[in-house]
Amino acid sequence: MNIHRSSELDGIQDILDEIAAAMASRTDRGKAAGYIPELACVDTGQFAIAVAGVDGQVFCGGDVGTPFSIQSVSKVFTLTLALGKLGDTIWSRVGREPSGNAFNSIMQLEHEKGRPRNPFINAGAITVADLILAGHAPREAIGEIIRFVRFLADDETIAIDEKVARSELDHGDRNASLAHFMRSFGRLDNPVDHVLGVYFHHCALAMTCRQLAVSGLYLAAGGMNPMTGTRVISAERARRINALMLTCGHYDGSGEFAYRVGLPGKSGVGGAILAVAPGKAAIAVWSPGLDPVGNSKLGAEALEMLAQRTGWSVFGA
Amino acid sequence: MNIHRSSELDGIQDILDEIAAAMASRTDRGKAAGYIPELACVDTGQFAIAVAGVDGQVFCGGDVGTPFSIQSVSKVFTLTLALGKLGDTIWSRVGREPSGNAFNSIMQLEHEKGRPRNPFINAGAITVADLILAGHAPREAIGEIIRFVRFLADDETIAIDEKVARSELDHGDRNASLAHFMRSFGRLDNPVDHVLGVYFHHCALAMTCRQLAVSGLYLAAGGMNPMTGTRVISAERARRINALMLTCGHYDGSGEFAYRVGLPGKSGVGGAILAVAPGKAAIAVWSPGLDPVGNSKLGAEALEMLAQRTGWSVFGA
Amino acid sequence: MNIHRSSELDGIQDILDEIAAAMASRTDRGKAAGYIPELACVDTGQFAIAVAGVDGQVFCGGDVGTPFSIQSVSKVFTLTLALGKLGDTIWSRVGREPSGNAFNSIMQLEHEKGRPRNPFINAGAITVADLILAGHAPREAIGEIIRFVRFLADDETIAIDEKVARSELDHGDRNASLAHFMRSFGRLDNPVDHVLGVYFHHCALAMTCRQLAVSGLYLAAGGMNPMTGTRVISAERARRINALMLTCGHYDGSGEFAYRVGLPGKSGVGGAILAVAPGKAAIAVWSPGLDPVGNSKLGAEALEMLAQRTGWSVFGA
Amino acid sequence: MNIHRSSELDGIQDILDEIAAAMASRTDRGKAAGYIPELACVDTGQFAIAVAGVDGQVFCGGDVGTPFSIQSVSKVFTLTLALGKLGDTIWSRVGREPSGNAFNSIMQLEHEKGRPRNPFINAGAITVADLILAGHAPREAIGEIIRFVRFLADDETIAIDEKVARSELDHGDRNASLAHFMRSFGRLDNPVDHVLGVYFHHCALAMTCRQLAVSGLYLAAGGMNPMTGTRVISAERARRINALMLTCGHYDGSGEFAYRVGLPGKSGVGGAILAVAPGKAAIAVWSPGLDPVGNSKLGAEALEMLAQRTGWSVFGA
């Protein structure tokens, strides 16, 4: 890895402070996700950002001490775990194309006979949970996922917010519908309640921005965690996960995010976004208010500012 | 622009020769587009590749002297032209999201009340043609597009294949349907036959791989044509067009192309693909056989080889 | 035909007077079709009704002297004409199922590869126009349709409102889109402008309620016109057209019309409805204000009243 | 009710014998429903027909002693029961339009925000089961449905095939998906497993053709059971249920059934069809082989023969 430590991260703390200040003054902050009380009641006044450089430095801005529910950002980690366990065979079960369509989800799933378009929409991540389960008890699969994320973050304190997980389960009819729908096409190996148990638990992982940025650092650093010196996945696989994040990471706002920010990213309805500047840094932002498509409103704006200030777009200087 | 001339393009001719040899030996070459006789009868045994570096060097391999119909690759140039004439106001008329769905086109257009998802699907490019027309005669708009492409390629010999253009018109019911559909929602300003006249003509532009690679070089070189030293568009706009190419450039195979090749690209049913390695080079490939999604089969394979040999993915080293 | 003249039509004039009075007092009358000026400016205060008994008696109420544009009601007559010319071979070109879906039309047409669901949606009627054309000049086909409707009505004064026909053509992008779409699947034999010329002209037929009721009488009278003693079609074919009217005659309001009125019927956006009480009478109503689905609001209410007063439902006493 | 006993049912036994003989000789008999073993293993060589006249006479042909799973035909009885308990308020929860589209079910449900199109598609009947449950235990609701059907048939021996009900539950992912989907829109009041328990049980009702024809007789006889002299529903409600059966009773083959047979009918995947000749008779047919749309192949053919021989179409003599 041929990195230019000084030049790439020079002045980054000033940029983060500027971004945090700009975001603190915004009045139009989006709306928190409303489908479970645990997310609906989160204060949308909050904002945090962290940049973890491939040289191991970490910079933060905003409410960096507050843990949040990473929700769908966890799909990046379960995909990585499933690829590590099962390799490219998983692609027989899930596609690699953007769903690209506001009226997607179950209609598209019907058209394509229960095979999800990509691992980052709900149906695709449920499929990945089914693959990780592989006949084991949900408790074991959940344990494996937690251990993997702790390994990525090099932090044994990361845990699941059980209250969020239970609440997801109580309000999980849409996901239950997707899971039963796929199962009706013979696309799930495990019982629906097992699969959803795993899925809802990994979505309920709670992390700070610093923890999330470090967890995603392997995607910026050619598959290695430069802090621990351990290899997570091959460089090629890291590139490919980045490609999936860029085309599919923001639901039906993926094109817009690529256009405005120019970096691979994955959002969650808790208000988090993990973005990757390959060869440079992993960036985590969090602000609970969402835009109409379901992505963090200030999170995306902050990343757009960061990309402009640093010139970190993958699409050119 | 901080380019490393020697390192980036060192050995590129050997790589192109290797790719051309590998492609020559392939027996499974896809099928030529069948909807007009002029494309259906093209020999699928052909293959060409050209790499235009941001330092002005051009390297070629395969049947480099043969001109071909660039078809939808021309949509990159008309989008650039429309942005230059009208600026970001064009985004009120066309979106920036992948259509992402095999059953898209007119159904999606109905759902979204006649507003195309992005400028690279047919409906979106027809909208761009309508914007370029802007009340003028089709002949004038076509002339303007030709002059613009000649300026990009720095080559006054580039021309439209009138036989192809006429044949498109004769077999243009699907596009006529899209155009009338959008017009029924008040989404076209000019008469349908004028708009389609412009659209079919720019799709019928004939170029060699060398001409096409040079024409796209501004996208790799921050909006400048490094050969002529003229600015085509701003660096930011070049990045953004690259982002659109990456998420939307290969119809419902865009995710797959990003995953396998890792470069922004735009394909055409004539078998051409224009790809961009930002800061390094523009690459044109051509082979008339298509995969089931409608993208050049050997073209995509050649670009995958090139990306592997050179490490030019935008998603990491 | 075993008809009970006296009992069936006894007191019918009183019922029509009662209905006309009730409709005159309605304030919520729907909105006239807005897509062409010729229909948009029609006074929604108007209402007319006519009942033509299978014994040859005709009863009227309301503004019976005013001619109106029958629009899609004409599809019943062109279907009858096409069946007479070509027989059941037409069913290879068009289906017999309700489209049943508010987001239908072109999306459904895409899903079913250009074959319309039934002859009463626009795409289906355009197909029927193509079948009647059969390579002849539009003028001849239009002439044939006019002669056929004059024969049904036994009235040589019936004519096409040329102003309406031309206006339809000027605002016909949606239908042009449907026609080109079908043609792109090889589903039209004649040029799109010929087919649409025929289609727009037969939709522009102008008739009074009395003329329309008499024209539809063959459907109530086993395929015969009891006034002239001539056979139009076989009794079986008349039954089958009635079946199609019941399942498909009111677009996405067909189920509701069957539920409330209980008679086969066909509506047009001009505000006309032709209903059939088999063995008893044909009924024409007209009131230009439409409900949200596009069917005459007062027309349907008047028919519901008539069915209740007379007990003419096909679904039981 | 003004019925003509002698003329309507004269010679009916001969017709049924002729039909049974014709059906016995058919070699192309369709395929039994394959989704549960209990239905898949039923011998498609079987056929039965029964006609219950409004005068109380019952005529039979074929394998009349064999009970079968009535499956979706039960939806007519649960709709009748729900209307009796809750009146027209049920229409706020379910529509009255044909779904009319081969790719319907969950996609349409998504488009219409979880409100089923009509009570005869699965989603609609699940909604009706939810309405009947009304907070009670599934066992009680199932008991109420059984008692209602026994009352209709005037036969205390009618029962649910528990093996079929359990098997439905084991293979019920598609229906579970529909139920969870509707619940995610707030469209179900009771827990999904309770609702599906009721739904799968009433679908597993086992009856002979004679029992089924008598059960449906109230629809032919103005809402009365002429055998017991008890009123089931009003004459108007009987007409309206007949209208729903005609437009929606055969899934995406409803238009075809109306066209060919001309009578209201409801089919089930067990191979049964209940048809209604208003004012004349209720007819039950059964043959386990299905056509591609999922309706009994020989059942529909037998009813077409019967309608031709008797002239019982609702659409004219």
Side-chain angles (χ1 to χ4, degrees), chain B residues 10-79:
Chain B
D10 257 18
I12 197 77
Q13 186 61 55
D14 290 347
I15 293 173
L16 298 191
D17 291 343
E18 182 194 359
I19 290 171
M23 293 304 132
S25 70
R26 293 286 162 88
T27 50
D28 183 4
R29 308 179 73 89
K31 274 186 61 172
Y35 71 104
I36 58 169
E38 281 67 23
L39 295 180
C41 66
V42 175
D43 174 11
T44 58
Q46 300 176 92
F47 172 85
I49 187 166
V51 172
V54 295
D55 60 359
Q57 297 184 74
V58 183
F59 303 87
C60 297
D63 308 308
V64 294
T66 314
F68 47 84
S69 192
I70 69 167
Q71 294 290 321
S72 292
V73 180
S74 63
K75 294 170 184 174
V76 175
F77 306 136
T78 54
L79 172 65

Side-chain angles (χ1 to χ4, degrees), chain C residues 10-33:
Chain C
D10 255 17
I12 198 77
Q13 186 61 55
D14 290 347
I15 293 173
L16 297 191
D17 291 344
E18 182 195 359
I19 290 171
M23 293 303 133
S25 69
R26 291 288 161 87
T27 50
D28 183 4
R29 309 179 73 90
K31 274 187 60 174

Side-chain angles (χ1 to χ4, degrees), chain A residues 96 100-101 107 252 256, chain B residues 96 100-101 107 117 252 256:
Chain A
R96 294 191 290 243
N101 132 14
M107 161 176 151
D252 203 28
E256 192 64 18
Chain B
R96 295 191 289 244
N101 119 30
M107 161 174 151
R117 287 227 124 203
D252 204 27
E256 193 64 16

Side-chain angles (χ1 to χ4, degrees), chain C residues 2 14 16-17 68 79 88-89 94 154 165-166 203 206 213 215-216 219 258 267 275 277 290 299:
Chain C
N2 178 23
D14 290 347
L16 297 191
D17 291 344
F68 48 83
L79 171 65
D88 287 328
T89 61
V94 59
D154 193 26
R166 235 166 343 198
C203 283
S215 297
L219 293 169
S267 71
L290 306 180

Side-chain angles (χ1 to χ4, degrees), chain A residues 272-308:
Chain A
I273 303 176
L274 172 65
V276 178
K280 303 186 177 95
I283 308 112
V285 286
W286 170 64
S287 184
L290 306 180
D291 67 20
V293 181
N295 301 311
S296 175
K297 186 170 163 47
L298 295 198
E301 291 176 15
L303 286 166
E304 193 175 357
M305 276 186 74
L306 181 71
Q308 280 174 342

Side-chain angles (χ1 to χ4, degrees), chain D residues 245-317:
Chain D
M245 290 171 76
L246 195 118
T247 53
C248 312
H250 283 75
Y251 307 107
D252 203 28
S254 299
E256 193 63 18
F257 188 84
Y259 183 88
R260 286 170 48 196
V261 177
L263 296 175
K266 179 75 203 81
S267 72
V269 290
I273 302 176
L274 172 64
V276 177
K280 302 185 178 95
I283 308 112
V285 286
W286 170 64
S287 183
L290 306 181
D291 66 20
V293 182
N295 301 311
S296 175
K297 187 170 161 50
L298 296 198
E301 291 176 16
L303 286 167
E304 194 175 357
M305 277 187 73
L306 181 72
Q308 280 173 343
R309 297 291 188 280
T310 58
W312 281 355
S313 165
V314 303
F315 296 117

Side-chain angles (χ1 to χ4, degrees), chain C residues 215-239:
Chain C
S215 297
L217 193 46
Y218 68 100
L219 293 169
M224 295 277 297
N225 181 338
M227 293 186 169
T228 60
T230 49
R231 172 156 300 280
V232 180
I233 44 171
S234 71
E236 183 186 46
R237 199 159 269 167
R239 281 199 305 272

Side-chain angles (χ1 to χ4, degrees), chain C residues 3-317:
Chain C
I3 50 166
H4 306 273
R5 174 189 300 220
S6 50
S7 64
E8 294 294 3
L9 292 175
D10 255 17
I12 198 77
Q13 186 61 55
D14 290 347
I15 293 173
L16 297 191
D17 291 344
E18 182 195 359
I19 290 171
M23 293 303 133
S25 69
R26 291 288 161 87
T27 50
D28 183 4
R29 309 179 73 90
K31 274 187 60 174
Y35 72 103
I36 58 169
E38 282 67 22
L39 294 181
C41 66
V42 174
D43 174 11
T44 58
Q46 299 175 92
F47 172 84
I49 187 165
V51 171
V54 296
D55 60 358
Q57 298 185 78
V58 183
F59 302 86
C60 296
D63 308 307
V64 293
T66 315
F68 48 83
S69 191
I70 69 166
Q71 293 290 322
S72 292
V73 179
S74 63
K75 295 170 182 173
V76 175
F77 306 135
T78 55
L79 171 65
T80 304
L81 178 60
L83 280 167
K85 287 166 67 89
L86 302 161
D88 287 328
T89 61
I90 74 161
W91 302 118
S92 65
R93 296 278 301 276
V94 59
R96 295 191 289 242
E97 290 300 331
S99 64
N101 136 13
F103 55 115
N104 61 357
S105 37
I106 211 156
M107 163 176 151
Q108 199 164 54
L109 210 50
E110 181 162 38
H111 190 81
E112 300 184 354
K113 304 204 186 308
R115 182 168 183 263
R117 288 227 123 203
N118 67 64
F120 293 152
I121 54 174
N122 288 13
I126 289 167
T127 298
V128 170
D130 183 59
L131 288 163
I132 292 174
L133 251 173
H136 295 111
R139 181 183 307 266
E140 290 174 46
I142 295 166
E144 187 175 11
I145 294 170
I146 297 177
R147 285 191 299 278
F148 182 64
V149 174
R150 287 175 176 169
F151 157 70
L152 292 177
D154 193 26
D155 186 335
E156 291 298 309
T157 69
I158 289 171
I160 283 165
D161 184 330
E162 281 294 336
K163 217 171 136 194
V164 169
R166 235 166 343 198
S167 192
E168 298 269 10
L169 208 55
D170 291 344
H171 298 81
D173 279 301
R174 184 65 173 249
N175 287 312
S177 177
L178 289 168
H180 280 290
F181 195 79
M182 290 190 286
R183 200 160 202 274
S184 76
F185 284 99
R187 303 262 186 198
L188 290 186
D189 297 329
N190 298 277
V192 163
D193 57 338
H194 288 202
V195 178
L196 290 179
V198 174
Y199 175 75
F200 288 134
H201 274 82
H202 74 65
C203 283
L205 275 162
M207 299 175 85
T208 64
C209 261
R210 167 185 282 268
Q211 288 170 327
L212 185 57
V214 174
S215 297
L217 193 46
Y218 68 100
L219 293 169
M224 295 277 297
N225 181 338
M227 293 186 169
T228 60
T230 49
R231 172 156 300 280
V232 180
I233 44 171
S234 71
E236 183 186 46
R237 199 159 269 167
R239 281 199 305 272
R240 291 182 158 188
I241 293 174
N242 288 338
L244 284 166
M245 290 170 77
L246 195 117
T247 54
C248 312
H250 282 76
Y251 307 107
D252 203 27
S254 299
E256 193 64 18
F257 188 84
Y259 183 88
R260 285 170 49 197
V261 177
L263 296 174
K266 180 76 202 82
S267 71
V269 290
I273 304 176
L274 172 64
V276 177
K280 304 186 178 95
I283 309 113
V285 287
W286 170 64
S287 184
L290 306 180
D291 66 21
V293 182
N295 300 311
S296 175
K297 186 171 161 50
L298 295 198
E301 291 176 15
L303 285 167
E304 192 175 357
M305 275 186 75
L306 181 72
Q308 280 173 344
R309 298 290 189 283
T310 57
W312 282 353
S313 167
V314 302
F315 296 117

